[in-house]
């Protein structure tokens, strides 16, 4: 070890007295300092404009994939290391000093290890500017998540050391430093590209994907240390150092070409074998360094996985004629499986499978006139040729019809989760920006495998809102749309229409009944059946519409609830008067974390046509208003119950107290009712607007207003099921939510310090060392 440290000491002296090394360090510090200052100053400007802090500032500044500091450093770090390593071995060859090393009692491993140790130590200096940025954050960010930032630096440091091992090996291949630098760039490019090689070939794709260096520090930067990534840095570094040792060995003593090649290949195969084993889910270990454990599944997901006994498979059925097919082509397998790695962390025996087929699906149109006369099979063959796929892999149409669930999913992109005993659940992609299911959707599907999913019934005999209809007033979107992320069927529920004609009963397996805006009156037998359902203690959602509230009055009156006459209107210069922006009440904020966050941000829930609600106690229920009108009356945002105006498109309503109209201050628009009955905890929600959760309202966006009607569905049905569905994957807010000791006026100083002062200090230190060396 003494010899190794002596070599490292001598190499460090050379590096510290090298203008190239200092110039590289200064340029790196300037670039990193300016990047950090721009990110930090942007955040200062954001807060100075009065925006609310969202928390998680450490992640936003240092780790955010798109805008964070460390991901940017990772993108250009490779540009600097080859300049540092290009002379580490090549100058020994060009100066002839390599012969002195060969004639000295120093072994090849000692030479390589000593020189590499000097690079490892110099890389610590390279991390110094990054550490200064973290120290600045610790001083200016309230409750900064320091372990997250330090884990990011660790990842970048290991990446730099791996680059150094590559550069050391390449430097030993030539006597020319420029050639060594170019060779290092080429090798790093190869390591970047290799992850794309052979991705359509089983086993080969796992090996080449593991070998790729692209994004290897990304999980460190996000705060997750995995054994696979940690071992990758050590294995690749050890591989190139071993190759460097062999290269020195064959310079000292002659050997046959086959002998040399065999040794090199043996080192490569050993590294690949160990690396392949390290990437197997059952052999991987993890450590989440983030304060809020944001890189780990939430507690509900872990609980579901713990209850899933035995092996499960996730089979992706990719329809060549459906959307998103390209995302699961064979060459995309590894990228596609990344979304399920958090689940494999806790259940390594999850198996991913992929099946391909062709079948007409919604949205598929053959717009090519040349293909108009082709059969589905002939069209599929042409597409398979375009994607260079083996058409023999595709399931035949007869085989597709035998697969349970594909027709139900309308032959869209579908994943079927299956347990060893044959239970199944479906996952699907959605028509939004994210497309892929989030943790809440994946866990909801898995939870269906371990418990009976709640079933929601929708009354349908009196022209209530239809779960099949696609019109603006219908309920297809939130009830059973396969492409809408917030739909009940994607959040773990089953849905079905319920009929009461000819004396039919509400099925006993209905857990939640929805009665939404009937157009005609219920008969006495039907009212009796609905009351029987209510007395059974099961959950209920009632939604009305102004002008038809009398049809639901017989149902809500026994509950102690009533509808205020007229239509609630709200004065607003930009929107229709009957569009009311509801506020989360204090009770609502206490009911759900989502509501509490909406209240904090003043996020509204919109109701295009709504009746105010009244309630009385003494009916056995605990009644709480969830959504209410404004609590403060102003001339520009007054709410009242409009009794005279009927056509809100052509008429402007006026407040007329003489007509019986009253100002509505904190009047309930949505009520929750709860009681114990028949050994059940019964929960009921009454809404003064059936349009607030309609297809049309979920499809519209209103400029200038923060609204979230999805939350009304999600939180209502989570409340009905006592938290079982939808899955709550929210996390506690991170406390690093404010900046301190810095103001908008400090932005220029921050940029000057990080972009000029710190680099100047380093440049001065380097200059003093170099001048001192020359003077001695």
């Amino acid at each position: 070890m003494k010899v190794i440290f002596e070599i490292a000491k001598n190499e460090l002296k050379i590096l510290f007295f090298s203008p190239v090394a200092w110039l590289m360090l200064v340029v790196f510090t300037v670039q990193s300092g300016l990047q950090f200052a721009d990110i930090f100053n942007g955040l200062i400007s954001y807060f100075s404009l009065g925006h609310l802090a969202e928390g998680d500032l450490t992640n936003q500044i240092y780790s955010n994939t798109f805008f964070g500091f460390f991901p940017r450093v990772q993108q250009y770090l490779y540009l600097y290391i080859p300049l540092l390593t290009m002379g580490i071995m090549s100058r020994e060859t060009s100066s002839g000093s390599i012969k002195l090393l060969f004639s000295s009692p120093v072994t090849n491993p000692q030479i390589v290890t000593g020189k590499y140790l000097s690079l490892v130590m110099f890389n610590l200096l390279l991390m110094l500017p990054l550490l200064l940025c973290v120290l600045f954050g610790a001083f200016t960010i309230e409750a900064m998540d320091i372990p997250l930032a330090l884990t990011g630096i660790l990842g970048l440091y290991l990446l730099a050391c791996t680059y150094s091992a590559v550069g050391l090996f390449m430097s030993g291949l030539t006597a020319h430093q420029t050639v060594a630098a170019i060779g290092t760039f080429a090798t790093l490019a190869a390591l970047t590209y290799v992850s794309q090689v052979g991705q359509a070939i089983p086993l080969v794709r796992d090996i080449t994907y593991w070998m790729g260096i692209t994004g290897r520090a990304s999980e460190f930067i996000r705060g997750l240390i995995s054994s696979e990534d940690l071992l990758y840095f050590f294995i690749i570094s050890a591989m190139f150092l071993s190759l460097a040792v062999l290269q020195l060995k064959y310079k000292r003593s002659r050997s046959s070409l086959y002998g040399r090649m065999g040794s090199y290949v043996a080192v490569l195969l050993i590294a690949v074998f160990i690396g392949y084993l390290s990437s197997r889910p059952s052999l991987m270990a993890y450590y989440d360094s983030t304060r809020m454990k944001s890189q780990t599944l939430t507690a509900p997901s872990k609980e579901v996985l713990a209850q899933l006994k035995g092996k499960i498979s996730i089979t992706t059925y990719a329809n060549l004629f459906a959307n998103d097919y390209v995302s699961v082509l064979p060459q995309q397998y590894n990228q596609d499986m990344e979304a399920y790695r958090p689940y494999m962390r806790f259940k390594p025996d999850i198996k991913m499978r992929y099946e391909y087929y062709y079948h007409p699906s919604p949205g598929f149109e053959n717009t090519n006139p040349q293909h108009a006369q082709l059969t589905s099979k002939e069209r599929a063959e042409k597409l398979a040729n375009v994607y260079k796929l083996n058409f023999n892999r595709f399931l035949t149409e007869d085989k597709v019809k035998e697969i349970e669930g594909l027709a139900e999913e309308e032959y869209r992109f579908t994943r079927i989760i299956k347990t060893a005993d044959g239970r199944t659940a479906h996952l699907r992609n959605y028509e939004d920006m994210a497309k892929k299911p989030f943790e809440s959707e994946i866990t909801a599907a898995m939870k269906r495998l371990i418990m009976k999913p709640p079933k929601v019934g929708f009354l349908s005999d009196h022209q209530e809102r239809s779960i099949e209809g696609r019109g603006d007033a219908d309920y297809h979107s939130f009830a059973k749309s396969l492409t809408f992320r917030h739909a009940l069927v994607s959040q773990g529920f089953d849905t079905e229409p319920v009929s009461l004609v000819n004396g039919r009963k509400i099925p006993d397996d209905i857990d939640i009944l929805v009665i939404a805006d009937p157009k005609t009156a219920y008969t006495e037998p039907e009212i009796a059946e609905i009351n029987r359902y209510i007395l059974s203690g099961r959950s209920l959602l009632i939604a009305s519409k102004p002008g038809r509230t009398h049809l639901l009055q017989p149902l809500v009156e026994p509950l102690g609830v009533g509808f205020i006459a007229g239509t609630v209107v709200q004065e607003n210069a930009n929107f229709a008067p009957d569009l009311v922006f509801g506020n989360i009440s204090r009770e609502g904020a206490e009911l759900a974390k989502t509501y509490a966050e909406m209240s904090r941000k003043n996020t509204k829930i919109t109701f295009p046509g709504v009746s105010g609600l009244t309630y009385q106690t003494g009916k056995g229920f605990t009644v709480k208003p969830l959504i209410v009108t404004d609590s403060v009356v102003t001339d520009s945002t007054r709410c009242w119950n409009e009794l005279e105006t009927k056509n809100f498109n052509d008429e402007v309503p006026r407040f007329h107290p003489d007509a019986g109209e009253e100002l509505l201050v904190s009047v309930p628009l949505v009520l929750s009712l709860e009681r114990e009955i028949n050994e059940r905890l019964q929960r009921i929600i009454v809404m003064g607007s059936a349009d607030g959760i309609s297809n049309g309202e979920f499809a519209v966006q209103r400029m200038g207003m923060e609204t979230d009607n999805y939350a009304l569905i999600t939180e209502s049905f989570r409340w009905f099921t006592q938290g079982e569905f939808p899955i709550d994957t929210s996390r506690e807010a991170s406390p690093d939510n404010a900046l301190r000791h810095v103001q908008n006026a400090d932005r220029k100083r921050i940029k000057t310090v990080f972009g000029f002062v710190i680099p100047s200090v380093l440049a001065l230190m380097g200059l003093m060392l170099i001048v001192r060396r020359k003077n001695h």
Side-chain angles (χ1 to χ4, degrees):
M1 289 298 294
K2 184 177 180 181
V3 174
I4 292 174
F5 284 122
E6 283 297 324
I7 294 174
K9 181 180 178 181
N10 290 332
E11 287 298 328
L12 274 175
K13 287 181 180 179
I14 294 173
L15 286 173
F16 278 116
F17 293 135
S18 167
V20 173
W22 281 103
L23 178 62
M24 182 208 72
L25 180 60
V26 170
V27 173
F28 176 78
T29 304
V30 169
Q31 185 175 11
S32 300
L34 291 177
Q35 292 271 12
F36 176 74
D38 286 343
I39 295 170
F40 203 91
N41 287 341
L43 205 58
I44 293 176
S45 298
Y46 180 81
F47 287 134
S48 69
L49 293 174
H51 294 288
L52 292 175
E54 300 296 331
D56 206 18
L57 290 184
T58 309
N59 174 68
Q60 292 183 45
I61 294 172
Y62 296 96
S63 304
N64 184 276
T65 302
F66 301 104
F67 310 109
F69 175 47
F70 291 156
R72 295 188 185 185
V73 174
Q74 183 181 207
Q75 291 175 359
Y76 58 72
L77 182 61
Y78 77 95
L79 295 172
Y80 294 91
I81 303 302
L83 304 179
L84 180 66
T85 62
M86 63 183 182
I88 195 77
M89 294 293 295
S90 61
R91 65 170 171 264
E92 305 285 1
T93 304
S94 61
S95 65
S97 59
I98 190 70
K99 296 179 181 179
L100 296 175
L101 282 174
F102 287 163
S103 62
S104 65
V106 181
T107 65
N108 296 326
Q110 288 175 330
I111 295 172
V112 171
T113 306
K115 288 181 174 290
Y116 182 66
L117 183 58
S118 69
L119 294 173
V120 167
M121 296 175 71
F122 191 87
N123 285 337
L124 289 174
L125 183 61
L126 195 63
M127 295 297 110
L128 178 61
L130 308 185
L131 184 60
L132 292 176
C133 294
V134 171
L135 291 175
F136 180 78
F139 178 72
T140 56
I141 300 174
E142 188 75 37
M144 178 182 174
D145 191 353
I146 295 177
L148 167 60
L150 293 180
T151 302
I153 291 181
L154 174 61
L156 293 173
Y157 175 69
L158 292 173
L159 183 63
C161 291
T162 304
Y163 288 163
S164 298
V166 176
L168 189 151
F169 169 67
M170 296 307 299
S171 182
L173 294 178
T174 178
H176 303 285
Q177 296 188 21
T178 304
V179 175
I182 294 174
T184 303
F185 282 123
T187 304
L188 295 179
L191 285 174
T192 300
Y193 175 73
V194 71
S195 61
Q196 304 174 34
V197 175
Q199 289 300 295
I201 307 171
L203 182 60
V204 173
R205 62 168 158 257
D206 292 332
I207 293 173
T208 57
Y209 190 76
W210 173 84
M211 292 182 67
I213 202 169
T214 304
R216 273 296 172 180
S218 295
E219 286 198 341
F220 281 84
I221 290 171
R222 290 193 292 268
L224 182 66
I225 301 175
S226 71
S227 59
E228 179 191 7
D229 290 329
L230 190 62
L231 288 173
Y232 174 86
F233 292 124
F234 289 122
I235 293 169
I236 294 298
S237 297
M239 182 183 78
F240 278 99
L241 294 178
S242 299
L243 293 175
V245 170
L246 289 175
Q247 185 264 335
L248 282 181
K249 173 185 175 182
Y250 296 131
K251 277 187 177 182
R252 278 187 169 185
S253 59
R254 291 184 175 276
S255 178
S256 66
L257 175 62
Y258 293 111
R260 294 197 301 271
M261 294 302 297
S263 299
Y264 290 141
V265 170
V267 169
L268 178 62
L269 290 178
I270 292 172
V272 168
F273 177 71
I274 298 174
Y276 176 79
L277 291 180
S278 72
S279 66
R280 298 304 87 195
S282 59
L283 299 177
M284 293 173 64
Y286 299 85
Y287 174 70
D288 188 346
S289 68
T290 61
R291 177 190 287 120
M292 310 309 297
K293 304 304 174 187
S294 61
Q295 300 304 305
T296 303
L297 293 176
T298 55
S301 296
K302 290 189 286 186
E303 290 172 5
V304 169
L305 290 174
Q307 296 178 58
L308 274 172
K309 305 302 181 183
K311 296 181 179 180
I312 67 171
S313 64
I314 302 178
T315 304
T316 300
Y317 289 94
N319 184 356
L320 190 58
F321 296 154
N323 294 331
D324 304 322
Y325 177 86
V326 177
S327 66
V328 290
L329 289 174
Q331 54 266 39
Q332 303 295 329
Y333 281 177
N334 281 299
Q335 290 92 329
D336 180 68
M337 287 191 287
E338 288 293 326
Y340 297 89
R341 281 189 63 177
Y343 288 85
M344 294 178 184
R345 171 180 171 184
F346 296 96
K347 192 169 180 58
D349 55 0
I350 294 176
K351 300 299 180 185
M352 301 289 293
R353 299 190 176 99
Y354 295 84
E355 296 285 356
Y356 300 95
Y357 71 98
Y358 56 91
H359 192 286
S361 64
F364 172 73
E365 296 180 3
N366 184 28
T367 57
N368 190 333
Q370 297 179 355
H371 297 170
Q373 305 303 319
L374 298 179
T375 65
S376 293
K377 182 178 180 180
E378 290 170 337
R379 296 177 191 174
E381 287 178 329
K382 286 185 173 292
L383 278 175
N385 288 332
V386 170
Y387 292 123
K388 299 180 181 179
L389 300 173
N390 180 3
F391 192 71
N392 293 327
R393 287 196 58 182
F394 285 73
L395 301 177
T396 63
E397 292 188 73
D398 292 338
K399 185 68 174 177
V400 169
K401 293 177 182 178
E402 296 175 3
I403 300 174
E404 185 178 353
L406 293 187
E408 175 187 338
E409 294 290 330
E410 301 176 351
Y411 299 100
R412 300 177 187 271
F413 182 98
T414 304
R415 301 185 201 264
I416 297 181
I417 308 174
K418 189 173 184 179
T419 62
D421 58 2
R423 290 168 292 156
T424 61
H426 294 187
L427 274 175
R428 53 189 69 90
N429 282 5
Y430 305 101
E431 292 182 355
D432 54 26
M433 293 294 291
K435 285 191 175 292
K436 294 186 177 182
F438 296 148
E439 180 185 344
S440 55
E441 288 82 49
I442 297 173
T443 301
M446 291 183 174
K447 193 168 185 177
R448 288 173 60 93
L449 301 173
I450 61 175
M451 66 173 291
K452 174 186 174 294
K455 182 176 287 188
V456 183
F458 292 77
L459 288 188
S460 58
D461 296 324
H462 292 264
Q463 302 177 54
E464 294 94 341
R465 303 300 174 98
S466 169
I467 63 174
E468 303 293 345
R470 266 65 166 184
D472 284 351
D474 293 318
Y475 279 5
H476 177 77
S477 289
F478 98 78
K480 59 182 300 183
S481 171
L482 299 177
T483 60
F484 185 51
R485 182 180 303 277
H486 302 278
L488 295 179
V489 293
S490 289
Q491 299 298 328
F493 295 84
D494 288 333
T495 61
E496 65 177 40
V498 173
S499 173
L500 299 181
V501 297
N502 299 324
R504 293 177 182 172
K505 303 295 183 182
I506 299 172
D508 291 337
D509 63 348
I510 295 296
D511 301 292
I512 305 166
L513 184 66
V514 177
I515 306 175
D517 186 27
K519 307 297 187 301
T520 57
Y522 292 111
T523 64
E524 288 297 326
E526 289 171 339
I527 292 176
E529 174 58 17
I530 295 172
N531 286 331
R532 183 192 69 82
Y533 172 88
I534 294 174
L535 290 175
S536 71
R538 288 175 281 176
S539 297
L540 176 68
L541 188 152
I542 296 177
S544 185
K545 184 179 177 66
R548 291 195 282 265
T549 55
H550 63 283
L551 299 175
L552 288 173
Q553 194 63 42
L555 299 179
V556 300
E557 189 171 342
L559 308 178
V561 177
F563 297 100
I564 298 176
T567 300
V568 178
V569 296
Q570 183 174 34
E571 291 181 328
N572 192 304
N574 300 315
F575 302 104
D578 62 339
L579 177 64
V580 177
F581 293 89
N583 302 278
I584 305 297
S585 68
R586 176 180 55 81
E587 294 85 351
E590 294 172 351
L591 182 77
K593 290 186 291 185
T594 302
Y595 285 160
E597 185 66 10
M598 291 174 63
S599 177
R600 186 181 75 86
K601 296 180 179 179
N602 197 29
T603 302
K604 309 289 187 176
I605 291 181
T606 54
F607 298 102
V610 60
S611 298
L613 302 174
T614 62
Y615 64 93
Q616 55 181 304
T617 58
K619 297 290 185 177
F621 290 96
T622 299
V623 186
K624 296 179 180 179
L626 300 182
I627 315 296
V628 298
T629 59
D630 285 343
S631 59
V632 178
V633 177
T634 65
D635 291 338
S636 59
T637 60
R638 291 183 301 175
C639 285
W640 68 87
N641 61 319
E642 177 62 36
L643 298 174
E644 298 177 312
T645 304
K646 303 300 179 183
N647 183 354
F648 292 98
N649 291 324
D650 300 325
E651 301 177 36
V652 179
R654 304 294 182 189
F655 178 51
H656 294 147
D658 295 340
E661 298 173 352
E662 299 178 0
L663 292 177
L664 304 180
V665 181
S666 295
V667 169
L669 304 177
V670 178
L671 289 172
S672 70
L673 297 84
E674 186 176 60
R675 69 175 174 179
E676 292 276 356
I677 182 173
N678 291 332
E679 299 182 350
R680 286 184 175 182
L681 179 62
Q682 183 177 46
R683 291 177 167 177
I684 297 173
I685 285 181
V686 180
M687 300 171 54
S689 171
D691 289 324
I693 53 176
S694 65
N695 295 345
E697 195 57 25
F698 285 131
V700 70
Q701 290 184 336
R702 295 183 176 87
M703 299 298 292
M705 294 297 297
E706 290 291 332
T707 62
D708 187 3
N709 282 37
Y710 304 144
L712 185 56
I713 292 296
T714 300
E715 295 306 327
S716 295
F717 282 86
R718 182 178 291 134
W719 185 65
F720 283 144
T721 62
Q722 301 180 47
E724 294 290 351
F725 295 95
I727 305 297
D728 183 6
T729 58
S730 62
R731 302 175 189 270
E732 295 296 327
S734 181
D736 53 337
N737 58 4
L739 297 178
R740 59 187 181 185
H741 310 310
V742 288
Q743 299 176 352
N744 200 41
D746 297 320
R747 291 186 302 157
K748 187 174 182 180
R749 285 190 286 271
I750 293 172
K751 193 166 189 176
T752 301
V753 169
F754 284 98
F756 177 74
V757 175
I758 295 176
S760 297
V761 171
L762 288 175
L764 184 60
M765 289 173 57
L767 183 62
M768 291 173 61
L769 282 174
I770 294 171
V771 170
R772 184 179 178 185
R773 169 73 181 274
K774 288 185 176 181
N775 290 338
H776 287 76

